[in-house]
Amino acid sequence: MNIEKLKTDPRMPKHIAFIVDGNGRWATKRHLLRSAGHKAGLDNLKLQIDFVKDLGIKNLSMYCFSCENWKRNKEEVDFLMNLFNTMLDDFKNDYLNKDVRILISGNLDDERLPKQVRDKAKEIMELTKNKTGFVINACINYGGRQEILKAVNELLVEKATKVDEKTFEQHLYTADMLPLDFVIRTSGENRTSNFLTWQSTYSEWYFPKKLWPSFTKKDLIKALKIYMKRDRRFGGVKA
Ligand code: IPE
Ligand code: IPE
Ligand code: MG
């Protein structure tokens, strides 16, 4: 694959997102516990983050835990929380000295999240808030509807009387990020599951069958090539 050529292609997206689905099925297929799938999923996520960065894509969002994922059994939720704790440590080790901003989108005041995770998430956001080179947006305890309501409630507190799209977007977690171009949801599920509801209205979507831990760099290149062939009209007509 000719990465250098791809990197300079003007059709490359600037903000992509992963819905990292299929970890559980990946493990079950291998007669492993679902937790092993989550571990493999995180390993793959780290690899993909660096690859996306190397490709020169400016913003990467990823869905790590939805507001609805609390419905899962305690053992699985606890395992995931431990993984997020490790992931935040890894982010600090790997990116603090680089031009990388780390954003954790989601309700971080929720006491169901372990205190360590809440504190580490807030710390890394604070430490990297002025970086601009590459933005990693990890969505944890995130829901698109909940995010919209958060914005509405903040506007009510401000006693706003008239709100336009630009003002509204300043109250979303993704304020200051680039428009979301492309969303990839692995595992063959054809739904959004409450991910970036406001932001993805005009995004391109792609639903590969591969389960997240098996989704490779080559698969990402294939996805990007599919994206670049799409004709984005935003309600207009083909140029
Ligand atoms: C996605 O994988 C990861 C999270 C939701 C945390 P799943 O755990 O949903 O895997 P499947 O969909 O059950 O295979
Ligand atoms: C979406 O996957 C959430 C994440 C990947 C974190 P789910 O597995 O929770 O979604 P549904 O239940 O299949 O819609
Ligand atoms: Mg799933």
Side-chain angles (χ1 to χ4, degrees):
M1 53 187 161
N2 190 343
I3 306 289
E4 289 313 310
K5 207 169 146 215
L6 200 68
K7 274 167 79 167
T8 55
D9 194 311
R11 296 167 302 174
M12 272 284 270
K14 294 184 172 62
H15 181 179
I16 70 166
F18 293 129
I19 301 181
V20 297
D21 200 14
N23 292 348
R25 278 164 284 170
W26 180 91
T28 306
K29 262 172 105 177
R30 287 162 180 77
H31 309 287
L32 300 168
L33 294 173
R34 289 178 60 85
S35 55
H38 293 313
K39 170 78 180 66
L42 176 61
D43 290 343
N44 194 39
L45 191 58
K46 288 200 244 166
L47 196 130
Q48 292 286 345
I49 292 172
D50 287 329
F51 189 48
V52 170
K53 183 171 172 287
D54 291 346
L55 284 169
I57 294 168
K58 289 281 180 196
N59 292 182
L60 170 65
S61 292
M62 52 217 197
Y63 208 3
C64 302
F65 192 88
S66 75
C67 294
E68 290 73 32
N69 286 147
W70 296 109
K71 290 177 190 162
R72 298 183 180 200
N73 73 40
K74 187 176 174 333
E75 211 184 14
E76 180 166 349
V77 169
D78 286 350
F79 188 87
L80 283 164
M81 293 302 146
N82 276 324
L83 270 190
F84 299 145
N85 198 29
T86 311
M87 182 175 89
L88 291 164
D89 287 338
D90 291 347
F91 281 173
K92 202 171 165 183
N93 288 330
D94 297 344
Y95 302 115
L96 209 54
N97 298 321
K98 303 208 172 113
D99 190 16
V100 176
R101 176 175 162 219
I102 295 169
L103 180 67
I104 312 297
S105 292
N107 182 3
L108 296 179
D109 296 324
D110 187 334
E111 293 194 354
R112 288 174 298 179
L113 285 172
K115 187 162 176 350
Q116 267 197 322
V117 169
R118 284 184 277 143
D119 290 349
K120 284 182 189 177
K122 287 176 187 168
E123 185 199 19
I124 192 93
M125 281 202 279
E126 183 59 29
L127 289 170
T128 63
K129 68 178 182 198
N130 295 322
K131 305 282 180 69
T132 53
F134 179 56
V135 184
I136 299 171
N137 173 30
C139 300
I140 299 177
N141 197 22
Y142 173 86
R145 288 184 174 180
Q146 289 82 349
E147 180 186 35
I148 289 169
L149 288 176
K150 169 190 106 76
V152 170
N153 282 308
E154 286 174 8
L155 287 158
L156 287 172
V157 170
E158 286 176 14
K159 302 201 187 322
T161 48
K162 198 157 185 268
V163 179
D164 57 16
E165 288 186 14
K166 226 172 150 201
T167 316
F168 190 79
E169 283 174 349
Q170 284 309 310
H171 289 268
L172 299 176
Y173 298 114
T174 48
D176 307 326
M177 285 185 76
L178 297 164
L180 178 59
D181 295 311
F182 188 36
V183 186
I184 300 170
R185 180 176 186 150
T186 53
S187 88
E189 305 295 359
N190 296 286
R191 54 179 171 263
T192 67
S193 301
N194 206 9
F195 186 52
L196 297 176
T197 308
W198 173 282
Q199 296 87 341
S200 66
T201 49
Y202 265 105
S203 305
E204 295 296 324
W205 288 79
Y206 175 56
F207 300 99
K209 292 243 162 8
K210 281 241 186 131
L211 304 171
W212 174 256
S214 312
F215 189 81
T216 62
K217 291 182 183 179
K218 217 171 147 190
D219 292 320
L220 179 59
I221 297 290
K222 182 178 162 196
L224 290 168
K225 287 187 172 162
I226 289 170
Y227 167 85
M228 292 195 291
K229 284 203 189 94
R230 299 228 183 129
D231 177 26
R232 300 186 73 191
R233 292 187 293 278
F234 299 95
V237 287
K238 201 174 157 70

